[in-house]
Amino acid sequence: MTDFFGIPLPALFGQLVLGLVNGCFYAVLSLGLAVIFGMLNIINFAHGALYMVGAMLAWMILEYLGLGYWWALILAPLAVGLAGIIIERLLLRRLYRLDHLYGLLLTFGLALMIEGLFRDLYGVAGQPYSIPDELSGAFNLGFMFLPKYRAWVIVASLAVCLLTWYMIEKTRLGAYLRAATENPKLTQAFGINVPLMVMLTYGFGVGLAGFAGVLAAPTSQVGALMGSNLIITVFAVVVIGGMGSILGSVLTGLGLGLIEGLTKLIYPEASATVVFMVMAIVLMVRPAGLFGREK
């Protein structure tokens, strides 16, 4: 058997792998959004811009410091997370008792400012970032060739998603975070520094965006517009999975990446809208999302 309903198997498996890689980016980015919304009730529209900053920092670390991909994979997410801590400390902390709209407008304005800054400094054409030598080439699976870097993106993304889910759902720190979200005054009465936990949570959430940006750098041109081209789709993923649902964001991101990949193969004209079609159908059936809780 060399084809599936008229589709050659190498093309089918190749497109599925590409869809899974895109799904991994969706999963990590939507995971960061879900952590921030679930823990802090902030709709972080600056997430796409901070994803772009992670990729740009990877390029700048190589261009100006001469440090390669593996250093960037550590330093760029830390730098983005530190920027997130500063944003939370100076700006977002003033909005927690206000309507969600204020946080959305503030982070949308921050996204425009960050994107405008990098567009002014580096233009919109994008910068190339090469795949590290250790991850160049491909694995011969017999039925297809799997690029090593795509395999690395899948493994690294799933590992980060799994560790984040475990930390939030299964550890004492995660229990403190959930308690601080549901009843911050009572949690603080037990001696837990709630403002510090909130600040670190936001920093961690945007650090995930920076991590995704570094992973994405060798797969596309690194430029100021790469975040704005992706963030709307990622928000759709979060809505489908359920706002604030950690597991829902991860599973939905992976699933929609595969659906998008198959759509590009079967009916390419619908690939740009299939995610939003799925979102419309899900919201008609379950307004809170697949894994969200009805209020």
Side-chain angles (χ1 to χ4, degrees):
M1 183 178 179
T2 58
D3 62 271
F4 182 78
F5 291 103
I7 302 173
L9 284 182
L12 176 63
F13 287 125
Q15 198 60 49
L16 284 175
V17 169
L18 184 58
L20 185 57
V21 170
N22 290 335
C24 286
F25 291 132
Y26 295 159
V28 176
L29 283 168
S30 61
L31 175 63
L33 281 175
V35 167
I36 292 170
F37 183 81
M39 301 290 113
L40 312 182
N41 284 325
I42 290 289
I43 302 174
N44 186 38
F45 213 90
H47 214 65
L50 293 169
Y51 159 80
M52 175 271 294
V53 170
M56 287 297 302
L57 285 177
W59 176 81
M60 293 166 69
I61 288 170
L62 177 63
E63 184 74 12
Y64 300 130
L65 301 181
L67 300 178
Y69 174 83
W70 301 108
W71 278 106
L73 201 60
I74 298 172
L75 297 177
L78 288 176
V80 174
L82 179 60
I85 287 174
I86 295 172
I87 291 171
E88 193 280 335
R89 185 82 178 179
L90 297 180
L91 300 173
L92 291 178
R93 185 164 294 188
R94 307 169 186 271
L95 306 179
Y96 290 143
R97 296 184 180 181
L98 302 178
D99 189 89
H100 294 322
L101 182 62
Y102 291 93
L104 173 62
L105 291 174
L106 174 63
T107 54
F108 179 66
L110 285 173
L112 293 178
M113 292 171 62
I114 294 169
E115 182 182 300
L117 175 64
F118 279 90
R119 187 167 52 189
D120 183 60
L121 292 175
Y122 298 104
V124 296
Q127 310 292 337
Y129 192 92
S130 59
I131 295 174
D133 294 336
E134 300 89 338
L135 298 176
S136 60
F139 297 110
N140 186 354
L141 302 182
F143 55 89
M144 66 170 290
F145 286 92
L146 174 62
K148 291 181 180 179
Y149 190 78
R150 290 182 182 176
W152 158 249
V153 168
I154 294 170
V155 171
S157 300
L158 292 179
V160 167
C161 291
L162 181 61
L163 287 173
T164 302
W165 172 82
Y166 182 82
M167 181 185 70
I168 292 176
E169 299 292 338
K170 301 297 182 180
T171 66
R172 180 175 295 183
L173 175 61
Y176 288 160
L177 284 173
R178 296 195 302 275
T181 301
E182 295 175 6
N183 197 327
K185 291 184 179 180
L186 181 61
T187 306
Q188 196 155 4
F190 281 95
I192 297 172
N193 191 335
V194 173
L196 177 62
M197 294 186 70
V198 168
M199 180 179 68
L200 294 178
T201 299
Y202 186 80
F204 176 75
V206 300
L208 288 174
F211 178 80
V214 179
L215 286 181
T219 66
S220 60
Q221 291 287 318
V222 177
L225 302 181
M226 61 184 298
S228 59
N229 295 336
L230 188 63
I231 189 61
I232 301 300
T233 302
V234 174
F235 265 107
V237 171
V238 174
V239 170
I240 295 169
M243 292 294 288
S245 172
I246 305 298
L247 183 62
S249 295
V250 174
L251 295 180
T252 304
L254 295 173
L256 288 176
L258 290 172
I259 292 173
E260 190 179 63
L262 284 175
T263 306
K264 288 179 179 178
L265 188 63
I266 298 170
Y267 188 56
E269 293 82 357
S271 62
T273 58
V274 65
V275 172
F276 304 102
M277 294 167 61
V278 173
M279 181 179 70
I281 295 171
V282 169
L283 291 180
M284 285 191 292
V285 179
R286 283 187 57 86
L290 294 175
F291 298 87
R293 297 178 181 178
E294 299 283 352
K295 293 186 179 179

